């Protein structure tokens, strides 16, 4: 193993290695994201930040396409929600927890609750008219430019599912990524990687 | 009719969403949660009234025809269990609210209520599911909520216990999904009634394999020996109100699934030998485990495992009378287990721990607490005139009526188990309740009396009292209860009413 280590160069980007490039050699000079960027993992990277900036609108648009097309083609609220939440996950990876907080419209929990209300409400609305749960009402209209368009109550239900999925993924990111990162940061501020009790000087 | 069948699982989900939105307003949130469960209680009571004569109610979700769409079915068995479970859920929730007002718990109430309501939805959906896949969905909703609940107020022990619990439950879920795939491959349908019709023409060996697979799947979840090891390790560690609801409901939902799948879907007699052997093992292993425990919660968890054996025994005897006995036993066991765990929670509030070794003289510390423990405990052991006696007599009579050496062996095991249960309870009584109280227990009581927690504690005690009264009421109402139980058992033994209600009369 020692032979291998000496045969291959040390990975770049380590600030503690004399002779290696500085830690922020990949960091962009321009502002690509909306907050002061502190990435979730490792140093800043121009590639990641530009890609995030360019991809976020495309991913979100695609997620809405999936949501709308889900009635009789592959897609639907679940798939759409997963895709949409990936846009935020990407943003979190590129820009850190403040970037995530700046990007999401409301707290993940609230998003989840609203989605559940919307889906549950649409599912149970037919009960008020004595019809079975989850029954779909649809209405086909002819619009200029679009042609024949079908509006159906399943779209509301699927939107609810969409919100639930986004809310759930963001809760997971917030709990397992952002909050742990914040705690680690605080511990580092107090001194020592694991806080003053276990490691290093306070 | 449609609304009646959908409310038990739709309304708790809506309530959970509202409770999540109202996290910051604790009183309003608690109000929403209680109102939601009150609606469910009222609805299930109506369902029970509508099905008590043997009617099977169905609703086709989305108005899709039966074998294709999702069917929601309520027969007398499902309606009875729903009604009892929702009352227990409501009482435990009020107990939890009392604990929170008193500031007596470290659990976070703002997330407790939404998750608890989701658990309610899962339990109700499992009882009402008319197809295998929806049964799976119901189980998953219930289990996912329980994963979150078991780690409330996390400690090292709780996280460890919840990992065991989660891994075991996921294993059984994978097997469940495999079973559904196999059944679908064989019959081309997941609708329970449709499977029942189509499995009839399947080869007997294949049917046997599927029956055993589903027995293992639900056996893991209902903790029958030898798949019980996870339960005494995980349930007692959670905070008490949560172990109360787990012990009362989760295993019983799985027992319900065993009953439903083994009676409706699979051949009737070929598996009963297995069931009887498993029942004997469950009863004895569980109660021997209980006899050597020091922690009251662990002791009750082992007793819980042991008494699951009685229900499996009834299913193994496989007659109308035995199934009626199982139904009565289910109702009795749900209430008594919830009750015992709630009392354990009160004991923990008084004493600060649940170890019998350092507990003495609880009767002097709190006579009411002693009474609250005594009644359900005697009921568990089967002392007349309490509900456990009614349930056991029904089961044993059915066993004697059927006969056969294996049934008699199981009966003997049942009698021994009842006596050993009594012995385990006497151990608790002799160590924890008799004698002069330990000085630190008297001090703790004085502190409680002077402290600001008293209002919450009183509320918890009142709710435990309500549960005790409910348990006694089961024995008082044994006549009407056994009528419903016999109706349910007839429906189980002769699945045609269920199948006709789901598929329509012309399909047969």
């Amino acid at each position: 193993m020692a032979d291998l280590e000496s045969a291959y160069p040390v990975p770049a980007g380590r600030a503690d290695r004399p002779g290696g490039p500085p830690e922020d050699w990949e960091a962009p000079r321009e502002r690509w994201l909306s907050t002061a960027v502190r990435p979730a993992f490792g140093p800043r990277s121009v590639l990641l930040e530009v890609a995030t900036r360019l991809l976020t609108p495309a991913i979100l648009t695609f997620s809405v396409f999936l949501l709308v097309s889900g009635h009789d083609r592959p897609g639907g609220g679940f798939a759409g929600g997963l895709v949409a939440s990936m846009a935020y996950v990407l943003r979190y990876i590129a820009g850190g927890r403040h970037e995530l907080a700046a990007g999401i419209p409301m707290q993940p929990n609230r998003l989840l609750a609203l989605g559940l209300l919307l889906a549950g409400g649409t599912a149970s609305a037919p009960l008020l008219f004595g019809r079975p749960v989850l029954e779909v009402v649809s209405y086909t209209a002819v619009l200029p430019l679009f042609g024949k368009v079908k509006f159906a109550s399943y779209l509301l239900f699927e939107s609810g599912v969409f919100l639930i999925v986004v809310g759930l993924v963001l809760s997971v990111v917030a709990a397992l990524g952002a909050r742990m990162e914040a705690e680690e940061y605080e511990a580092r501020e107090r001194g020592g990687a694991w806080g003053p009790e276990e490691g290093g000087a306070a | 009719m449609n609304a009646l069948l959908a409310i038990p699982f739709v309304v708790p989900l809506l309530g959970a969403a509202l409770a999540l939105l109202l996290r910051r307003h604790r009183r309003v949130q608690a109000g929403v949660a209680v109102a939601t469960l009150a609606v469910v209680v009222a609805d299930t009571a109506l369902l029970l009234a509508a099905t008590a004569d043997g009617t099977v109610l169905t609703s086709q979700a989305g108005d899709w025809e039966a074998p294709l769409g999702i069917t929601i079915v309520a027969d007398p068995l499902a309606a009875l269990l729903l009604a009892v479970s929702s009352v227990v859920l409501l009482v435990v929730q009020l107990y939890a609210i009392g604990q929170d007002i008193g500031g007596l718990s470290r659990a976070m109430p703002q997330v407790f209520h939404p998750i608890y309501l989701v658990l309610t939805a899962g339990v109700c959906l499992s009882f009402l599911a008319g197809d295998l896949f929806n049964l799976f969905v119901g189980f998953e909703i219930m289990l996912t909520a329980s994963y979150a609940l078991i780690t409330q107020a996390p400690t090292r022990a709780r996280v460890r216990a919840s990992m065991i619990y989660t891994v075991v439950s996921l294993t059984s879920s994978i097997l469940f999904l495999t079973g559904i795939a196999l059944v679908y491959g064989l019959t081309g349908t997941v609708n329970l009634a449709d499977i029942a019709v189509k499995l009839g023409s399947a080869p007997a060996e294949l049917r046997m394999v599927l029956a055993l697979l589903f027995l293992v799947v639900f056996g893991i979840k209902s903790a029958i020996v030898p798949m019980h090891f996870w339960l005494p390790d995980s349930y007692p560690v959670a905070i008490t109100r949560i172990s109360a609801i787990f012990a009362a409901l989760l295993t019983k939902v799985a027992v319900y699934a065993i009953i439903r799948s083994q009676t409706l879907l699979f051949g009737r007699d070929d598996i009963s030998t297995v069931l009887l052997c498993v029942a004997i093992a469950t009863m004895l292993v569980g109660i021997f485990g209980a006899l050597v425990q020091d922690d009251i919660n662990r002791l009750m968890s082992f007793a819980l495992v042991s008494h699951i054996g009685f229900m499996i025994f009834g299913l193994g005897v496989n007659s109308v009378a035995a199934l009626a006995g199982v139904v009565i036993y289910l109702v009795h066991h749900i209430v008594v287990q919830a009750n015992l765990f709630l009392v354990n929670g009160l004991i923990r509030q008084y004493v600060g721990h649940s170890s019998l070794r350092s507990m003495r003289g609880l009767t002097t510390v709190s006579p009411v607490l002693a009474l609250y423990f005594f009644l359900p405990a005697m009921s568990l052991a089967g002392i007349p005139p309490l509900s456990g006696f009614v349930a056991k007599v029904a089961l044993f009579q059915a066993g004697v009526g059927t006969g056969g050496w294996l049934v008699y062996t199981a009966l003997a095991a049942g009698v021994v188990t009842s006596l050993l249960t009594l012995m385990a309870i006497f151990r608790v009584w002799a160590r924890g309740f008799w004698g002069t109280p330990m000085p630190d227990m008297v001090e703790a009581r004085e502190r409680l009396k002077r402290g600001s927690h008293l209002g919450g504690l009183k509320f918890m005690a009142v709710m435990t009292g309500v549960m005790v009264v409910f348990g006694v009421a089961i024995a008082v109402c044994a006549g009407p209860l056994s009528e419903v139980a016999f109706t349910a058992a007839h429906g189980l033994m002769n699945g045609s009413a269920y199948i006709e209600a789901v598929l329509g009369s012309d399909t047969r």
Side-chain angles (χ1 to χ4, degrees), chain B residues 6-69:
Chain B
I7 282 175
F9 58 89
V10 171
V11 169
L13 283 179
L14 289 173
L18 271 180
L20 195 57
L21 279 179
L22 295 167
R23 279 189 312 153
R24 305 256 172 267
H25 315 274
R26 285 175 53 179
R27 277 156 197 269
V28 187
Q29 189 198 37
V32 166
V34 171
T36 308
L37 275 176
V39 169
V40 175
V41 168
D43 182 82
T44 50
L46 287 176
L47 260 184
L48 180 59
T51 54
D53 58 344
T55 326
V56 181
L57 298 175
T58 60
S59 169
Q60 314 287 355
D63 222 3
W64 292 90
E65 286 294 309
L68 300 176

Side-chain angles (χ1 to χ4, degrees), chain A residues 37-90:
Chain A
V37 172
R38 195 199 307 275
F41 322 98
R44 290 179 67 183
S45 145
V46 66
L47 198 61
L48 198 54
E49 287 184 27
V50 174
T52 306
R53 174 75 182 260
L54 293 181
L55 282 179
T56 302
I59 295 176
L60 288 177
T61 316
F62 181 56
S63 76
V64 174
F65 167 75
L66 281 180
L67 168 69
V68 178
S69 74
H71 185 50
D72 42 15
R73 273 172 296 166
F78 188 79
L82 276 181
V83 169
S85 49
M86 283 310 116
Y88 292 105
V89 172
L90 186 62

Side-chain angles (χ1 to χ4, degrees), chain A residues 107 109-110 112-114 116-121 123-124 127-128 130-136, chain B residues 2-3 6-7 9-10 13-14 16-18 20-21 23-24 59-63 70 72 118:
Chain A
Q107 278 190 350
N109 269 330
R110 183 165 292 205
L112 212 164
L114 283 179
L116 194 52
L117 266 188
L118 189 58
S124 55
L127 295 176
L128 298 177
R131 305 292 308 162
V133 67
L134 279 173
E135 201 178 46
V136 172
Chain B
N2 290 321
I7 282 175
F9 58 89
V10 171
L13 283 179
L14 289 173
L18 271 180
L20 195 57
L21 279 179
R23 279 189 312 153
R24 305 256 172 267
S59 169
Q60 314 287 355
D63 222 3
I70 296 169
I72 304 157
V118 171

Side-chain angles (χ1 to χ4, degrees), chain B residues 343-421:
Chain B
V343 174
N344 290 352
L346 282 180
I347 292 179
R348 196 177 273 188
Q349 297 295 349
Y350 270 98
V351 188
H353 59 79
S354 51
S355 166
L356 282 174
R357 202 167 297 150
S358 35
M359 201 184 286
R360 207 175 338 119
L362 269 172
T363 32
T364 322
V365 174
S366 169
V368 179
L369 194 62
L371 181 70
Y372 284 175
F373 177 80
F374 184 77
L375 284 173
M378 287 297 115
S379 177
L380 187 73
I383 301 296
L386 295 159
S387 59
F389 171 72
V390 178
K392 285 200 173 93
V393 163
L395 273 179
F396 288 173
Q397 266 185 345
V400 173
T402 307
W405 67 270
L406 195 55
V407 174
Y408 277 114
T409 315
L411 268 177
V415 173
V416 170
T417 305
S418 301
L419 290 175
L420 289 179
T421 309

